[in-house]
Amino acid sequence: MQDSVNSQNSFNLLHKEIQKTIQKYNFVQPTPIQNEAIPKVLEGKNLLLIAPTGTGKTEASIFPIFETLFQENRNKLIRGIQVLYITPLKALNRDIFRRLIEMGQDLGLDIQIRHGDTSSNARRKQALKPPHILITTPETLQSILPAKRMGMHLKNVKVVIVDEIHEIVESKRATQLSVGLERLRDRTEREFQILGLSATIGNPERVARFLAGIGRSIETVKTDTEKKFEITIENPLATDEDRSLAKKLYTTAETAARINRIAYHIENNNSVLCFTNTRDHAEMLSSHLRLLDPDFNYAIHHGSLSRDVRIQAEEEFKSQELKAIVCTSSLELGIDVGSVDKVLQLMSPRQVSKLIQRVGRAGHKIGEVSRGTIITMDFDDIAESIVIVSKALKNELEDILIHENALDVLSHQIAGIVMDKREVTINEVEQIIGRAYPYANLDKELLNKTIDLMLQLKLIWENNGILKRSRKTLLFYYKRVSTIPDVGQRWQVIDITTNRPIGTLDNEFVATKAKLGTVFIVRGRPWKILNLNENKIEVTPAPDPTGAIPGWVGELIPVPYQVAQEVGELRHRLEQAYQNNGDTDAILDEYQLSSNVKEIILNTNIQQIESDVPIPTHKRIVIEAFGDYIIIHCCFGSKINETIGELLSALLTTEMGSNVVMRSSPYTIQLQLPTRINPKIIPELLKNPEHVDHILDLSLSRSSLFLWRFSQVAQRFGIIDKGAEFHSTLIEKIVHAYRDTTAVIETLREIKLEKLDIPNTKKILSQISNGLTTIDIVQKGSIEFGSPFSLLALRNAKSGSYVKSARPEAVLIEAVKNKINEKRIKLVCMHCGQWESVRQVKYLPDERLKCPKCKSVFIAVVFSRNTALKTALRHQKAKMKLTIEDKKEIKRGGKSSVLVEAYGKKAIIALASRGIGPQTASRILARKFNSEHDFYKALWNAEKEFARTRAFWDDL
């Protein structure tokens, strides 16, 4: 049967009119996935179609559907919506959908799109005359399921197609959709055919079961035609040209070499997508390329940019007006950007699936080779990239993680079922929910506790086991249709040195990490927080980046356990070959690496071997202790290292009675202790896996991350309003009030799934206990004497590898000087009160100022928009009773005029500085300075002190 299908053209199974129509759109010969899937779709089977992007999965599902609808439409048997095409893409104006709509028109089939931005007029028309095929999003399905008229039209649905399922299956959007499909089956009162479309994904059998739900058969169709990849790994060496460029860009020579190499690839290809792992890196690379060549023909694309800006970049790239786009995961989705020659990836993509999705955008057509290059940073980055490329070529993808028993989604879907049915028994709710794959093992007690919370919040009513709508049900349901976390606005980061924005931070980072004095990395440099004010964070350059938190930490893709273990295994193999005089080159020859990439891997490994610190591998943990700073080298990946780090931090904090600061990476855990300890205590703490859950529950529930996640979960539960601002003190009180509810249970479950890996952590702790994983301890006097691996880990912790060199102090002070001299101030005569003038500081004369009206030298300096001083002087001259504000203005003006009389323009410069009033200016002006640089440095220090303490200042 299979051979016969492959030997024939499956388009021949379609009606002649359909064949004629699709040929009009250049569909003459079916692709392998189309040839294999079309007969099975026509048989009515539930299918998960897996094939690389660009191989025609959409057409493989929709062409045979056209066949059925075309025949029924000719016989006038169609009523209501027959097919739902559900896609997670917000950009529903893709060419593929426009083409489907046009094909449908040729065949007499009505295909329409409906999403959150669809006009009310279009929605009304759809309600009056529903299309045959409705293309929509998971959220819009949730909106129309309980609707009276649209809900009636859904009763006729015979086929549901879920597109891009690989993109959402690990999110709560998918969990919500799975229950939505069960509610849809209740609407239709029969089974409908389900078709899933996915790019290459790990564990396809589980995705298929998720799609079908409990108790239904489904077949996975995966063609034998594998996508061909050519992926190279580069680590460009810095040249004299790069060293010269580095000075221009205020960056390192190594970073300049990478920028030059990226520019080279863009110049030598027609169309290039350059992926970065974070928005911050995308912005930095974009600004570097612009400095390299202001006429560089490229755009930037990431989630923080407006939709219009992103669409413009997509359209201009597709029409070849742009040669390149610097982007993040925002362009991994099936957004049509036309032909791509090559994909660049700055730094390791961190996951196999990410590499395949990104590089797969190049050579989009069947038979074309997808070409990509990873531009690496250092030893760890190279080793990780080697492993990921190797696994990608062998098609070894990561397992997927599904949100099972998500209780906030459960609450919303219970409300939805009540809306659908008006009234329903708890047993019926349990049956509907239990058919959805994520809730197959839902505990009855958790279901009842969720219903209890809903009753407490008056979201529904209950009477003798029957659930009914309350006044709040409809508003609760429709306001929480989207499960996408509402992170709110981004905070603008202002450098007080220049008074200019340098970047943004998201709400989660600010809520969980940002405090006065926190040092973080943004735009490749360390900054110290001086003040948090509404949606603005004021910062100053930090001289020491040790312990600085990357501003993009929440965006980073976790490196899987399997990848980190293979990196450890590669280290081990190279160590064994070197110590046994074996052929290390032969090991690296397996990976097709350039000579300098090989050299970096070998040299770094040899340096570590020849140091007095063992090489950390997949089976060996190495602890380096530097007094109160400890680095634990362990190749367990992001989530397990975060779990072990959280565990150690909690235990050591209890042991020492003071907070322990912890940071983790895929290959290290770093601990900053309040005082030095004997590092031998750490292996003892890691030998008891039995109490891991209890310790982590206690530790997590006290963390800022828990408060932030709880605020999101509480919004989905209806405990707090959607989009409410985050205030940690208020959230703490709400957590206490709801401590025994499913809101707390769900918050902990969500964090454990997305941030930690407790099951595998327990396995590793057991391996430590039984000696299968060894621990070596090395004590050092100070960090400077750390091993090569430690120094690399510290450098990455400081900068995240993509870093600009620190700006020289002279450059910073020059920026302060320029900022002050560009400022506009107002001069007011304190003697006559009749003269005032707004001037720019840099244009003021060096000689002493005099009032042009009365010749007085007592000239006050105020802000350019100040009108209060002149008003106060007028009141004083008229001998009116002065208000408290009048007196304050005259007092301040008098003090500043005395300083201007004594010090001239120098006083005006001081008073024009941000936050410097007459009292502070007087102290600074009374000092003797050896140079202009020292004077402006004193002003800069005063500005920083003002920003840090401004909340406590009454006035200047």
Side-chain angles (χ1 to χ4, degrees), residues 785-922:
F785 301 107
S787 71
F789 281 18
S790 269
L791 297 178
L792 174 64
L794 285 167
R795 190 172 78 229
N796 287 345
K798 291 176 182 180
S799 66
S801 290
Y802 189 6
V803 66
K804 297 180 181 179
S805 58
R807 285 185 290 178
E809 185 181 88
V811 175
L812 292 171
I813 300 306
E814 187 65 24
V816 171
K817 177 184 173 182
N818 291 338
K819 177 191 70 174
I820 295 172
N821 279 279
E822 291 293 328
K823 196 166 185 180
R824 294 169 67 83
I825 48 91
K826 183 180 284 187
L827 304 174
V828 180
C829 177
M830 292 298 294
H831 183 260
C832 69
Q834 297 298 308
W835 177 77
E836 65 176 21
S837 177
V838 175
R839 308 276 186 90
Q840 205 167 2
V841 173
K842 67 180 178 182
Y843 294 128
L844 289 170
D846 291 330
E847 60 269 16
R848 188 159 297 175
L849 290 169
K850 289 184 180 179
C851 172
K853 291 197 173 184
C854 70
K855 308 304 180 186
S856 172
V857 294
F858 290 97
I859 307 296
V861 180
V862 293
F863 298 123
S864 60
R865 294 181 181 176
N866 180 293
T867 57
L869 176 57
K870 192 173 181 182
T871 301
L873 290 172
R874 189 170 66 248
H875 290 170
Q876 185 183 54
K877 202 170 185 68
K879 296 183 180 180
M880 295 170 60
K881 185 176 180 180
L882 300 180
T883 66
I884 294 174
E885 281 305 312
D886 286 341
K887 291 176 183 178
K888 282 184 179 181
E889 286 293 328
I890 292 170
K891 184 178 179 182
R892 274 197 297 258
K895 285 182 178 180
S896 74
S897 70
V898 170
L899 292 175
V900 173
E901 192 277 333
Y903 296 100
K905 185 176 178 180
K906 198 171 183 180
I908 297 174
I909 290 170
L911 291 163
S913 302
R914 184 170 177 272
I916 297 181
Q919 190 173 341
T920 304
S922 177

Side-chain angles (χ1 to χ4, degrees), residues 17-18 21 62-78 80 82-83 99-112 129-134:
E17 284 297 316
I18 297 175
T21 297
I62 208 75
F63 286 175
I65 300 303
F66 281 168
E67 172 72 18
T68 306
L69 294 183
F70 181 72
Q71 299 284 8
E72 291 183 355
N73 194 37
R74 292 178 74 190
N75 297 323
K76 298 183 179 179
L77 296 175
I78 295 183
Q82 300 290 300
V83 179
R99 192 165 60 239
L100 288 179
I101 291 170
E102 289 170 8
M103 287 183 190
Q105 288 171 348
D106 291 347
L107 295 169
L109 299 174
D110 187 11
I111 304 175
Q112 294 184 31
K129 188 185 178 185
H132 301 124
I133 300 175
L134 181 65

Side-chain angles (χ1 to χ4, degrees), residues 11 55 81 113 119 221 378 463 470-471 540 643 703 762 772 880:
F11 288 171
T55 53
I81 298 167
I113 292 173
S119 69
V221 178
D378 51 41
N463 185 19
S470 72
R471 290 182 185 176
T540 186
T643 310
S703 67
K762 288 179 179 178
L772 292 175
M880 295 170 60

Side-chain angles (χ1 to χ4, degrees), residues 305-412:
L305 298 173
S306 71
R307 182 171 176 267
D308 290 342
V309 169
R310 296 198 305 271
I311 290 174
Q312 181 181 351
E314 294 160 17
E315 295 296 334
E316 289 181 357
F317 184 82
K318 187 175 179 181
S319 63
Q320 298 186 335
E321 294 174 59
L322 292 174
K323 197 169 188 182
I325 298 181
V326 176
C327 53
T328 61
S329 55
S330 59
L331 268 183
E332 282 173 21
L333 286 170
I335 297 170
D336 187 4
V337 290
S339 176
V340 179
D341 292 338
K342 186 159 192 174
V343 166
L344 301 177
Q345 167 68 48
L346 179 61
M347 303 174 64
S348 159
R350 299 175 71 89
Q351 290 182 359
V352 181
S353 57
K354 291 291 179 185
L355 180 65
I356 288 176
Q357 287 169 20
R358 292 175 179 186
V359 177
R361 306 270 356 217
H364 212 47
K365 294 178 182 176
I366 294 173
E368 290 184 345
V369 176
S370 292
R371 296 165 50 244
T373 295
I374 304 173
I375 308 292
T376 56
M377 297 288 173
D378 51 41
F379 171 78
D380 276 347
D381 204 40
I382 292 170
E384 187 173 286
S385 298
I386 287 171
V387 168
I388 288 173
V389 170
S390 174
K391 292 176 83 69
L393 296 177
K394 291 184 284 189
N395 206 29
E396 295 176 1
L397 280 75
E398 299 83 13
D399 283 344
I400 59 160
L401 292 172
I402 291 173
H403 277 274
E404 294 184 9
N405 299 330
L407 302 177
D408 47 359
V409 174
L410 175 64
S411 173
H412 182 261

Side-chain angles (χ1 to χ4, degrees), residues 159-281:
V159 183
V160 173
I161 302 170
V162 181
D163 194 6
E164 304 278 356
I165 192 169
H166 62 278
E167 183 59 35
I168 64 167
V169 69
E170 295 188 282
S171 71
K172 286 188 175 181
R173 291 181 80 189
T175 305
Q176 183 192 60
L177 175 61
S178 68
V179 182
L181 292 175
E182 296 306 329
R183 290 167 54 200
L184 179 60
R185 287 186 176 96
D186 252 36
R187 274 280 188 193
T188 62
E189 298 179 348
R190 66 175 184 278
E191 293 291 335
F192 47 72
Q193 185 178 14
I194 185 85
L195 304 173
L197 313 181
S198 175
T200 311
I201 193 169
N203 205 335
E205 294 78 17
R206 191 173 189 212
V207 177
R209 293 198 303 273
F210 168 87
L211 184 67
I214 302 304
R216 300 184 189 95
S217 62
I218 185 167
E219 188 176 327
T220 299
V221 178
K222 188 176 181 183
T223 59
D224 295 330
T225 307
E226 292 294 341
K227 184 75 174 171
K228 292 181 181 178
F229 291 94
E230 284 182 7
I231 306 171
T232 58
I233 299 170
E234 297 182 356
N235 191 281
L237 295 172
T239 62
D240 289 341
E241 180 189 344
D242 297 321
R243 281 182 272 276
S244 175
L245 176 64
K247 294 175 183 176
K248 175 184 174 183
L249 301 181
Y250 292 117
T251 190
T252 63
E254 292 76 17
T255 299
R258 288 187 279 272
I259 295 162
N260 259 332
R261 189 62 181 166
I262 289 168
Y264 168 83
H265 281 297
I266 293 172
E267 287 166 356
N268 286 275
N269 287 279
N270 292 322
S271 52
V272 176
L273 293 180
C274 183
F275 282 95
T276 68
N277 292 331
T278 70
R279 289 166 289 192
D280 199 78
H281 286 172

Side-chain angles (χ1 to χ4, degrees), residues 412-479:
H412 182 261
Q413 291 303 289
I414 291 171
I417 293 169
V418 171
M419 296 261 293
D420 297 341
K421 294 179 171 292
R422 302 302 183 259
E423 59 177 52
V424 60
T425 66
I426 295 175
N427 285 338
E428 285 179 282
V429 168
E430 186 178 14
Q431 287 171 13
I432 295 169
I433 297 285
R435 295 199 306 260
Y437 180 85
Y439 295 99
N441 300 311
L442 178 64
D443 186 89
K444 183 69 176 277
E445 185 182 349
L446 281 178
L447 173 63
N448 288 334
K449 285 193 77 168
T450 302
I451 291 171
D452 287 344
L453 179 56
M454 295 180 74
L455 293 171
Q456 180 184 338
L457 296 168
K458 297 182 172 58
L459 302 177
I460 53 173
W461 297 125
E462 187 264 338
N463 185 19
N464 294 325
I466 296 175
L467 304 179
K468 299 181 180 181
R469 288 174 56 171
S470 72
R471 290 182 185 176
K472 292 185 176 181
T473 309
L474 186 141
L475 190 61
F476 165 72
Y477 180 81
Y478 279 107
K479 275 205 164 187

